[in-house]
Amino acid sequence: MITLTPEQQQDVARRFQGLATRWIATTRYRSNTQALRNHPVYQELVALGEAVVPLILMELGRQPRVSWFVVLTGITGENPVPPALAGQVDATARAWIDWGDNGGQFRIAKPPRDQAASISNAF
């Protein structure tokens, strides 16, 4: 995992929040993974790299969405979801969160009530 200065963390968190808002609005009713991978916001999220993985995992903890699974795989190259869980959004989200917790470098806290606190606690 890369180490960022506090200023870099804030910049990444701000950029992520803006992109996350656009990503959620854009992908709300889409599930075609190829179409998601071709979307410009996907490309921008993946370009932010590992620094946003804890933020995505927190988003999954708050509101599981299929579109985040595609981004996580794009950033990490991993897919910790057993085939038996295919199509089960909540269980898939839990598998990703467990992967982050067990991997150590992406460990996250339970999502705090305050979104600003959640962003700063992710790093």
Side-chain angles (χ1 to χ4, degrees):
M1 181 85 178
I2 58 174
T3 303
L4 301 176
T5 66
E7 293 81 17
Q8 290 170 319
Q9 290 173 7
Q10 289 178 342
D11 181 54
V12 168
R14 262 192 307 277
R15 290 173 56 202
F16 173 77
Q17 283 307 124
L19 289 169
T21 299
R22 290 173 46 206
W23 183 244
I24 291 166
T26 300
T27 63
R28 185 173 310 268
Y29 302 108
R30 295 184 187 177
S31 61
N32 179 312
T33 57
Q34 188 58 43
L36 294 175
R37 282 188 205 101
N38 290 330
H39 197 279
V41 176
Y42 168 88
Q43 300 296 327
E44 290 183 65
L45 286 163
V46 170
L48 289 174
E50 292 181 351
V52 297
V53 169
L55 299 172
I56 295 171
L57 293 174
M58 280 195 293
E59 288 291 326
L60 283 179
R62 275 193 290 275
Q63 180 66 47
R65 296 181 190 279
V66 172
S67 60
W68 287 125
F69 308 147
V70 177
V71 177
L72 284 167
T73 299
I75 293 170
T76 67
E78 300 284 337
N79 183 2
V81 183
L85 297 182
Q88 299 177 42
V89 176
D90 289 339
T92 299
R94 174 51 39 207
W96 271 106
I97 292 166
D98 290 346
W99 169 86
D101 285 344
N102 294 331
Q105 64 183 5
F106 298 116
R107 178 159 286 148
I108 62 168
K110 292 191 183 198
R113 291 183 187 102
D114 178 343
Q115 185 171 3
S118 70
I119 292 170
S120 64
N121 289 338
F123 294 99

